[in-house]
Amino acid sequence: MAVENHFSTVARILAMQVLMAIVIASGFFVSGGFEGARSPLLGSLVALIPNGYFAWKIYLSRNKGAKNIVRAFYSGETVKLILTAALFAVIFQIPGVNLLAVLAGYVAVSSVFWLALLLWRD
């Protein structure tokens, strides 16, 4: 019998990713103002938006059969990768964007998932 978890692990990871995006953008804001915070915030969004889409896709398939869940997983991951590449392509067209700051935001937010796997063993 499964226990209903109102704040699932996926929701906790997404919340921690949003918090990391705020922290990394705040750090760059302190050193460079709004212009300095723009690039890491954009990089953070490149990680957050596809992860949010993937979580939503899997959430929609939660009460379906195993075959539909696997199909949702693969299609969600495919769209997530395409969306990530498209968002990077759009961001690199913005004048004045700092490549290293974009990557810092992206890596910081993406690393939350991997750290969660190591630290949260429910």
Side-chain angles (χ1 to χ4, degrees), residues 42-54 76-92 102-103 106 110:
L42 290 171
S44 297
L45 289 175
V46 171
L48 282 170
I49 292 170
N51 285 340
Y53 170 79
F54 181 74
E77 188 64 28
T78 301
V79 171
K80 178 181 160 184
L81 291 172
I82 292 168
L83 191 54
T84 300
L87 288 171
F88 269 125
V90 168
I91 286 174
F92 292 145
V102 168
L103 292 177
Y106 178 77
S110 295

Coordinates of all heavy atoms in Angstrom, one line a residue, residues 42-54 76-92 102-103 106 110:
L42 N 19.5 33.4 -16.6 CA 19.2 32.7 -17.8 C 19.7 31.3 -17.9 O 19.0 30.4 -18.3 CB 19.7 33.5 -19.0 CG 19.1 34.9 -19.3 CD1 19.8 35.7 -20.3 CD2 17.6 34.7 -19.7
G43 N 20.9 31.1 -17.4 CA 21.4 29.7 -17.4 C 20.6 28.8 -16.4 O 20.4 27.6 -16.7
S44 N 20.2 29.4 -15.3 CA 19.4 28.6 -14.4 C 18.0 28.2 -15.0 O 17.5 27.1 -14.8 CB 19.1 29.5 -13.1 OG 20.3 29.7 -12.5
L45 N 17.5 29.2 -15.8 CA 16.2 28.9 -16.5 C 16.3 27.8 -17.5 O 15.4 27.0 -17.8 CB 15.6 30.1 -17.1 CG 15.1 31.2 -16.1 CD1 14.7 32.4 -16.8 CD2 13.9 30.6 -15.3
V46 N 17.5 27.7 -18.1 CA 17.8 26.6 -19.1 C 17.7 25.3 -18.4 O 17.3 24.3 -19.0 CB 19.1 26.8 -19.8 CG1 19.5 25.6 -20.7 CG2 19.2 28.0 -20.7
A47 N 18.0 25.2 -17.2 CA 17.9 23.9 -16.4 C 16.5 23.8 -15.9 O 15.9 22.6 -15.9 CB 18.9 23.9 -15.3
L48 N 15.9 24.8 -15.3 CA 14.6 24.7 -14.7 C 13.5 24.4 -15.6 O 12.6 23.6 -15.3 CB 14.3 26.0 -13.9 CG 15.0 26.2 -12.6 CD1 14.8 27.7 -12.1 CD2 14.5 25.3 -11.6
I49 N 13.4 25.1 -16.7 CA 12.2 25.0 -17.6 C 12.1 23.5 -18.1 O 11.0 22.9 -18.0 CB 12.3 26.0 -18.7 CG1 12.0 27.4 -18.1 CG2 11.2 25.7 -19.8 CD1 12.3 28.5 -19.1
P50 N 13.2 22.9 -18.7 CA 13.1 21.6 -19.2 C 12.8 20.6 -18.0 O 12.0 19.6 -18.2 CB 14.4 21.3 -19.8 CG 14.9 22.6 -20.2 CD 14.5 23.5 -19.1
N51 N 13.4 20.8 -16.9 CA 13.1 19.9 -15.7 C 11.7 20.0 -15.3 O 11.1 19.0 -14.9 CB 14.1 20.2 -14.6 CG 15.5 19.7 -14.8 OD1 15.7 18.8 -15.6 ND2 16.4 20.3 -14.1
G52 N 11.2 21.2 -15.3 CA 9.7 21.3 -14.9 C 8.8 20.6 -15.9 O 7.8 20.0 -15.5
Y53 N 9.2 20.8 -17.2 CA 8.4 20.1 -18.2 C 8.4 18.6 -18.0 O 7.4 17.9 -18.1 CB 8.9 20.4 -19.6 CG 8.3 19.5 -20.7 CD1 7.0 19.8 -21.1 CD2 8.9 18.4 -21.2 CE1 6.4 19.0 -22.1 CE2 8.3 17.6 -22.1 CZ 7.0 17.9 -22.5 OH 6.4 17.0 -23.4
F54 N 9.6 18.0 -17.8 CA 9.8 16.6 -17.6 C 9.0 16.1 -16.4 O 8.3 15.1 -16.5 CB 11.3 16.3 -17.5 CG 11.5 14.8 -17.3 CD1 11.4 13.9 -18.3 CD2 11.9 14.3 -16.0 CE1 11.6 12.6 -18.2 CE2 12.1 12.9 -15.9 CZ 12.0 12.1 -16.9
G76 N 9.2 12.5 -22.6 CA 9.6 13.7 -21.8 C 11.1 14.0 -21.8 O 11.5 15.2 -21.9
E77 N 11.9 13.0 -21.7 CA 13.3 13.2 -21.7 C 13.8 13.7 -23.1 O 14.7 14.5 -23.2 CB 14.1 11.9 -21.4 CG 15.5 12.0 -21.2 CD 15.9 12.9 -20.0 OE1 15.2 13.0 -19.0 OE2 17.0 13.5 -20.1
T78 N 13.2 13.2 -24.2 CA 13.6 13.7 -25.5 C 13.2 15.1 -25.7 O 14.1 15.9 -26.1 CB 12.8 12.8 -26.6 OG1 13.2 11.5 -26.4 CG2 13.2 13.3 -28.0
V79 N 12.0 15.5 -25.3 CA 11.6 16.9 -25.3 C 12.5 17.8 -24.4 O 12.9 18.9 -24.8 CB 10.1 17.1 -25.0 CG1 9.7 18.6 -24.9 CG2 9.3 16.4 -26.1
K80 N 12.8 17.3 -23.3 CA 13.7 18.0 -22.3 C 15.0 18.3 -22.9 O 15.5 19.4 -22.8 CB 13.9 17.2 -21.0 CG 14.8 17.8 -20.0 CD 14.9 16.8 -18.8 CE 16.1 17.2 -18.0 NZ 16.4 16.2 -16.9
L81 N 15.6 17.3 -23.6 CA 16.9 17.6 -24.3 C 16.8 18.6 -25.4 O 17.7 19.5 -25.6 CB 17.5 16.2 -24.8 CG 17.9 15.3 -23.7 CD1 18.3 13.9 -24.3 CD2 19.1 15.8 -22.9
I82 N 15.8 18.4 -26.2 CA 15.6 19.4 -27.3 C 15.3 20.8 -26.8 O 15.9 21.8 -27.3 CB 14.4 18.9 -28.2 CG1 14.8 17.6 -29.0 CG2 14.0 20.0 -29.2 CD1 13.7 16.9 -29.6
L83 N 14.5 20.9 -25.8 CA 14.2 22.2 -25.1 C 15.5 22.8 -24.6 O 15.7 24.0 -24.7 CB 13.1 22.0 -24.1 CG 12.5 23.2 -23.5 CD1 11.9 24.1 -24.6 CD2 11.4 22.8 -22.5
T84 N 16.3 22.0 -23.9 CA 17.6 22.5 -23.4 C 18.4 23.1 -24.5 O 19.0 24.2 -24.4 CB 18.3 21.4 -22.6 OG1 17.5 21.0 -21.5 CG2 19.6 22.0 -22.0
A85 N 18.6 22.4 -25.6 CA 19.4 22.8 -26.7 C 18.8 24.1 -27.3 O 19.6 25.1 -27.6 CB 19.5 21.7 -27.7
A86 N 17.5 24.1 -27.4 CA 16.9 25.3 -28.0 C 17.0 26.5 -27.1 O 17.3 27.7 -27.6 CB 15.4 25.0 -28.3
L87 N 16.9 26.4 -25.8 CA 17.0 27.5 -24.9 C 18.5 28.0 -24.9 O 18.7 29.2 -24.9 CB 16.6 27.1 -23.5 CG 15.1 26.9 -23.3 CD1 14.8 26.3 -21.9 CD2 14.4 28.2 -23.5
F88 N 19.4 27.1 -25.0 CA 20.8 27.6 -25.1 C 21.0 28.4 -26.4 O 21.7 29.4 -26.4 CB 21.8 26.4 -25.0 CG 22.3 26.1 -23.6 CD1 22.1 24.8 -23.1 CD2 22.9 27.0 -22.8 CE1 22.6 24.5 -21.8 CE2 23.4 26.7 -21.6 CZ 23.2 25.5 -21.1
A89 N 20.5 27.9 -27.5 CA 20.6 28.6 -28.7 C 20.0 30.0 -28.7 O 20.6 30.9 -29.2 CB 20.0 27.7 -29.9
V90 N 18.9 30.1 -28.0 CA 18.2 31.4 -27.9 C 19.0 32.3 -27.0 O 19.3 33.5 -27.4 CB 16.8 31.2 -27.4 CG1 16.2 32.6 -27.0 CG2 15.9 30.6 -28.4
I91 N 19.5 31.8 -25.9 CA 20.3 32.6 -25.0 C 21.6 33.2 -25.6 O 22.0 34.3 -25.4 CB 20.5 31.9 -23.7 CG1 19.2 31.8 -22.9 CG2 21.6 32.5 -22.8 CD1 19.3 31.0 -21.6
F92 N 22.2 32.3 -26.4 CA 23.5 32.7 -27.0 C 23.3 33.8 -28.0 O 24.3 34.4 -28.5 CB 24.3 31.6 -27.5 CG 24.8 30.7 -26.4 CD1 24.9 29.3 -26.5 CD2 25.2 31.2 -25.1 CE1 25.3 28.5 -25.5 CE2 25.6 30.4 -24.1 CZ 25.7 29.0 -24.3
V102 N 26.4 32.1 -17.6 CA 25.2 31.2 -18.1 C 25.5 29.8 -17.7 O 24.7 29.1 -17.1 CB 25.0 31.3 -19.6 CG1 24.1 30.3 -20.1 CG2 24.5 32.7 -20.0
L103 N 26.7 29.3 -18.0 CA 27.1 27.9 -17.6 C 27.1 27.7 -16.1 O 26.8 26.7 -15.6 CB 28.4 27.6 -18.3 CG 28.4 27.5 -19.8 CD1 29.7 27.2 -20.4 CD2 27.4 26.4 -20.3
Y106 N 23.6 27.3 -15.1 CA 23.1 26.0 -15.5 C 23.6 24.8 -14.7 O 22.9 23.9 -14.3 CB 23.4 25.8 -17.0 CG 23.0 24.5 -17.5 CD1 21.6 24.2 -17.9 CD2 23.9 23.4 -17.7 CE1 21.2 23.0 -18.3 CE2 23.5 22.2 -18.2 CZ 22.1 22.0 -18.5 OH 21.7 20.7 -19.0
S110 N 21.6 22.4 -12.2 CA 21.6 20.9 -12.6 C 22.2 20.1 -11.5 O 21.8 18.9 -11.3 CB 22.4 20.7 -13.9 OG 21.7 21.4 -15.0

